[in-house]
Amino acid sequence: MQSTLGDELKIKFRQAVEGFNYAEADSLYQWKSHNRYIIANSLSSKKWNVWCGLGYFEMNPESLTEYPYIGIIIEVSPGFKNRQKIIDFMQKIITSKPHIWMGYHLNSPSAWSHISYRKSLREFLSEEDHLSCIKDFFSNCIDEMRDIQSEFDFPWDVLKDESTKESSTISMSSPI
């Protein structure tokens, strides 16, 4: 897994969200705590209210016949002050690109909400050089992230003032 998320992809990933790289997630901690092996960057200045991650998700499936997913995710916390603007951005993407992006919990104000571009790891394992295929897919995910930022006018301005709602209780089930 580590070799598919090597330095070249880390650099490309960071450049895709350049200027908003305030912290980096520990991949092994993510695996242990959240069943994902990812590289991630906060897109917000003070907390992980909005973040983007690239890598392996659902590492411990409930069934032995299921495989982890690989791809990219953009997630927003339930307590983020400007959450609705991020959700609106996400909804535009899944409406315009439903064959690529999928949304999760976008209509649930108390949940961590996200969109992802992902595929099952199973799709890559039959390839002769599956590691190269996985790296190529990760590279395509980063390109897609760049595309949606410009195509759908990512609301970077709402990330500058990043306090959380005063009255909101945040469930930290999905944070970095």
Side-chain angles (χ1 to χ4, degrees), residues 22-110:
Y22 291 95
E24 186 174 309
D26 179 321
S27 298
L28 292 177
Y29 172 80
Q30 289 297 308
W31 190 356
K32 178 182 174 187
S33 301
H34 300 291
N35 295 321
R36 56 191 180 208
Y37 186 88
I38 60 173
I39 53 176
N41 281 314
S42 174
L43 302 180
S44 49
S45 61
K46 295 180 185 173
K47 298 181 181 181
W48 287 87
N49 283 325
V50 183
W51 64 276
C52 181
L54 176 76
Y56 298 79
F57 299 88
E58 298 178 28
M59 293 294 295
N60 299 319
E62 294 179 15
S63 150
L64 294 176
T65 60
E66 294 178 38
Y67 286 80
Y69 289 97
I70 64 171
I72 195 164
I73 182 176
I74 304 168
E75 189 169 51
V76 61
S77 81
F80 182 51
K81 178 179 165 183
N82 294 308
R83 173 186 166 85
Q84 191 55 50
K85 290 182 182 178
I86 301 297
I87 295 291
D88 292 345
F89 167 78
M90 292 175 169
Q91 288 176 328
K92 281 190 241 176
I93 293 165
I94 62 169
T95 299
S96 296
K97 296 184 167 197
H99 58 287
I100 298 176
W101 291 90
M102 298 185 322
Y104 302 87
H105 309 293
L106 298 182
N107 296 316
S108 180
S110 62

Side-chain angles (χ1 to χ4, degrees), residues 1-9 37 56 131-132 134-135 138:
M1 288 183 297
Q2 186 176 9
S3 67
T4 60
L5 293 169
D7 290 339
E8 184 179 313
L9 272 175
Y37 186 88
Y56 298 79
L131 293 180
S132 290
I134 291 170
K135 286 180 190 177
F138 284 148

Side-chain angles (χ1 to χ4, degrees), residues 17 32-34 45 68-69 93 98 103 109 112 116 130 140-141 151 167:
V17 290
K32 178 182 174 187
S33 301
H34 300 291
S45 61
Y69 289 97
I93 293 165
W112 283 81
S116 66
H130 60 274
N140 290 340
C141 288
E151 185 177 341
S167 61

